[in-house]
Amino acid sequence: MIRLHNTASGKVEPVVPRDADSISMYVCGPTVYGEPHLGHGRFALVFDVLRRYLEFSGLTVHHVSNITDVDDKIIARAASEGVTEVDIAARYEKSWWDAMDALGVLRPAEAPHATDYVEDMVEAVAGMLASGSAYETSDGVYLSVDAVEGYGLLARQPLDTLRAGARVEAGGEKRSPMDFALWKRAKPGEPVWPAPFGEGRPGWHTECVVMSLDLLGEGFDIHGGGIDLAFPHHENERAQASALGRPLARHWVHNGWVTVGGEKMAKSLGNYTSLDDLLARSDPRSYRLLVLRSHYRQPLEVTVRTTKDAAEALGRLDALSRRFGAAGWLEGEVRQRAGVDQKAAGELGLDAAAIASFCSRMDDDLDTPAALAGVFEVVRQAHVAGDRGETQRGEQLAHTADWLCAALGLRLEAGAGGAWVPVRGGAEAAGGGAHAGEVGTERGTEASTYGSGPDEEVLALVEERDRARAERDWSRADALRDELAVAGWTVEDTPQGTKIRRT
RNA sequence: GGCGGCGUAGCCGAGUGGUUCAGGCAGGGGCCUGCAAAGCCCUGUACAGCGGUUCGAAUCCGCUCGCCGCCUCCA
């Protein structure tokens, strides 16, 4: 069974499913008020990998991730653009899912919207008022943190020291500076919902409590998100659940953030790169690989250099696929079972030792860097076997590597970046294109504007070069290679003829 | 002020009380190739500094320096 760091205890602990053979997981999703950036991409990828790995381990995962579509920032943005909050939320929710699809992040089983749960939130707030853990002020309803046992758990800091450090003074009627809004009374021009304690809108933290309990039930297995959510967001969720007498998650998992020059990537610092920008200029898989190369709890430095690094490493994986046709192997029914049916690995004759090693590393607090190092070792062994003429062994290892990559959500030789065009038959080449299209199916939509298949002109150059080589006209062949290079293609001669790939 | 994290070879980035310097990228040499590309082989003797514990520490403890984060919205 996998062991994961639990922010509530500060230790790496086994994840014990509440219900046998299945895992209930709630991951805090985005507030849709702007374009998603690399930081959002990281948390989405981290939990996508966790979800895939749990499934790979034979568990059924009930994955819920919310969309926060009512919030101060959405209201502010709508006001500044002169459109409705609904417009803003709809626009950026679409951006969100587009980016997720491009990154190959599997859709959660459910993606509840805060605005669909306002009635439940009103009920929850009423419950907290009734029990005396919440109180009303002129501008809303607040939760009294003093009423919550052990408040500060997820901040890993006791309440008194948290309070001492509070930079913002209690806003007039708040009993404690740490108290937070459960309900904000209506202000002119803002969206409102009816409530017995005055019409208004919900605070930020209540939605996750209500939605996770509704969809996953009390004491669900995993609650995740970025480390900056640990406090106050998650602690405030926990506080409310506690006030309601309804336990929330048993395991709190948080990922580290993306840094730029050592500093946290944040919109407020203006040092962010949007996912769109990244996806427009690189293979979406390379960001996944970059994320996998560091441990999920560590900060991740993203620069042009580290991004390029990851792309090169990805090229090494693709090269293996190219050599052994692993991508072609992992199709259809086999593809569907990859990463979701560990038992099939045995039936398919994959390398059991490599898979066992991979799993033990992943089980150790989702140690993807170590797991990936193991995959690269398998890659090397596959090449060695191939060089020795041990084709079957080479294929077995290559297939194993492909299988493990699939478990991580990495599809080898996928996308235009890895497109290789066999020399003979444009039809074959077109087949390669269809292959890439299937990737799109898996992702939900076709990835990005990055790269595109070779056009007729390029294919003509490839064919001409093959003729030149057949005639041993090396200078002509070299000139054509140069032309292809200028067009952005790297040439590789193989026993099957000239192949090209995006440089 | 309180709480917490980090500092590893050219770069990124794991790991751990003691055999082969995780892995990737970059670099050097060789093999392969018409030349390349891809691949393989060889090549790096790093763990901020200072003390301490230990037969032995980069790994444990203490201190110092530097960087970052949370305590306010934040993935």
Side-chain angles (χ1 to χ4, degrees):
Chain A
M1 192 60 219
I2 192 168
R3 295 159 52 80
L4 289 173
H5 182 266
N6 185 355
T7 307
S9 68
K11 293 180 194 150
V12 175
E13 301 172 336
V15 176
V16 181
R18 178 189 56 188
D19 311 311
D21 301 329
S22 73
I23 290 283
S24 39
M25 177 165 86
Y26 185 93
V27 180
C28 275
T31 299
V32 283
Y33 72 98
E35 295 294 341
H37 62 65
L38 265 33
H40 301 97
R42 186 184 190 191
F43 98 75
L45 285 167
V46 163
F47 287 99
D48 180 62
V49 169
L50 174 57
R51 175 241 178 110
R52 286 175 188 265
Y53 181 66
L54 290 169
E55 289 176 347
F56 182 78
S57 303
L59 295 156
T60 301
V61 179
H62 191 177
H63 178 201
V64 176
S65 189
N66 65 295
I67 295 288
T68 297
D69 56 354
V70 52
D71 166 85
D72 291 351
K73 286 179 180 156
I74 294 173
I75 293 168
R77 179 120 193 184
S80 76
E81 290 191 25
V83 299
T84 68
E85 293 82 13
V86 173
D87 291 335
I88 293 294
R91 183 201 303 167
Y92 292 112
E93 180 175 349
K94 181 176 187 310
S95 297
W96 174 256
W97 293 122
D98 286 350
M100 291 304 102
D101 288 344
L103 285 172
V105 170
L106 298 171
R107 296 279 181 116
E110 279 149 307
H113 292 71
T115 51
D116 289 334
Y117 273 87
V118 177
E119 279 183 33
D120 289 28
M121 287 191 256
V122 167
E123 197 179 313
V125 173
M128 286 182 267
L129 278 170
S131 70
S133 45
Y135 58 92
E136 292 187 61
T137 68
S138 59
D139 66 344
V141 178
Y142 289 80
L143 184 82
S144 173
V145 295
D146 288 305
V148 177
E149 180 74 24
Y151 186 82
L153 178 71
L154 293 177
R156 308 222 29 85
Q157 193 172 164
L159 179 57
D160 54 343
T161 68
L162 271 174
R163 185 180 280 136
R167 283 180 242 165
V168 181
E169 272 310 300
E173 301 172 52
K174 272 166 69 168
R175 293 177 190 170
S176 161
M178 305 313 296
D179 290 351
F180 57 93
L182 297 170
W183 190 258
K184 300 179 180 185
R185 286 202 205 293
K187 288 183 193 151
E190 290 185 352
V192 294
W193 286 264
F197 33 82
E199 66 175 18
R201 62 193 164 88
W204 178 39
H205 312 294
T206 311
E207 61 180 89
C208 290
V209 178
V210 165
M211 298 191 292
S212 62
L213 287 172
D214 178 55
L215 296 169
L216 297 174
E218 292 178 12
F220 58 92
D221 296 312
I222 295 173
H223 194 136
I227 185 64
D228 44 354
L229 294 183
F231 189 88
H233 182 55
H234 284 163
E235 180 58 9
N236 287 352
E237 288 181 34
R238 200 187 65 81
Q240 291 174 64
S242 169
L244 290 167
R246 304 189 66 192
L248 223 52
R250 293 174 299 120
H251 215 108
W252 296 84
V253 179
H254 296 103
N255 65 278
W257 36 60
V258 171
T259 60
V260 180
E263 291 193 318
K264 176 184 173 184
M265 176 174 285
K267 291 199 174 182
S268 54
L269 291 173
N271 63 350
Y272 69 94
T273 301
S274 78
L275 285 172
D276 265 4
D277 287 349
L278 180 80
L279 294 168
R281 61 166 198 267
S282 67
D283 187 318
R285 297 174 303 151
S286 62
Y287 188 52
R288 179 179 289 261
L289 186 63
L290 182 60
V291 167
L292 289 168
R293 283 198 331 178
S294 72
H295 187 85
Y296 76 93
R297 287 195 281 131
Q298 294 301 125
L300 173 66
E301 182 74 14
V302 181
T303 62
V304 171
R305 185 167 182 172
T306 60
T307 308
K308 186 169 175 297
D309 231 48
E312 294 296 332
L314 179 65
R316 185 166 161 75
L317 294 173
D318 281 343
L320 181 78
S321 245
R322 225 180 295 138
R323 177 172 184 176
F324 291 99
W329 162 78
L330 196 45
E331 292 305 329
E333 190 193 341
V334 178
R335 157 64 60 188
Q336 294 198 335
R337 296 173 75 181
V340 294
D341 184 356
Q342 215 176 329
K343 289 193 291 288
E347 297 164 23
L348 293 163
L350 301 182
D351 189 285
I355 291 173
S357 164
F358 175 87
C359 290
S360 75
R361 288 164 171 182
M362 291 293 280
D363 282 342
D364 180 16
D365 198 21
L366 204 66
D367 191 355
T368 56
L372 209 50
V375 171
F376 276 102
E377 181 57 26
V378 172
V379 169
R380 207 198 97 254
Q381 288 172 0
H383 281 302
V384 168
D387 288 354
R388 285 184 189 150
E390 299 165 2
T391 311
Q392 280 201 325
R393 173 64 175 156
E395 283 184 357
Q396 179 200 24
L397 290 165
H399 291 170
T400 301
D402 196 16
W403 182 267
L404 295 176
C405 284
L408 297 169
L410 272 179
R411 178 164 187 169
L412 304 192
E413 207 179 15
W420 283 72
V421 183
V423 64
R424 299 202 189 287
E428 247 47 49
H435 178 73
E438 197 182 308
V439 174
T441 307
E442 188 189 55
R443 288 174 180 151
T445 66
E446 186 40 66
S448 67
T449 55
Y450 169 74
S452 54
D455 56 26
E456 284 305 315
E457 207 172 324
V458 168
L459 290 175
L461 289 174
V462 169
E463 284 165 16
E464 192 180 343
R465 182 160 184 281
D466 266 349
R467 281 194 294 276
R469 292 190 68 239
E471 292 161 15
R472 308 183 70 79
D473 183 352
W474 307 129
S475 61
R476 181 68 189 141
D478 290 349
L480 287 162
R481 181 163 59 202
D482 290 343
E483 277 191 56
L484 285 162
V486 169
W489 297 88
T490 296
V491 173
E492 198 171 301
D493 296 331
T494 75
Q496 292 81 42
T498 298
K499 288 186 177 182
I500 58 172
R501 67 183 152 95
R502 286 275 179 199
T503 301

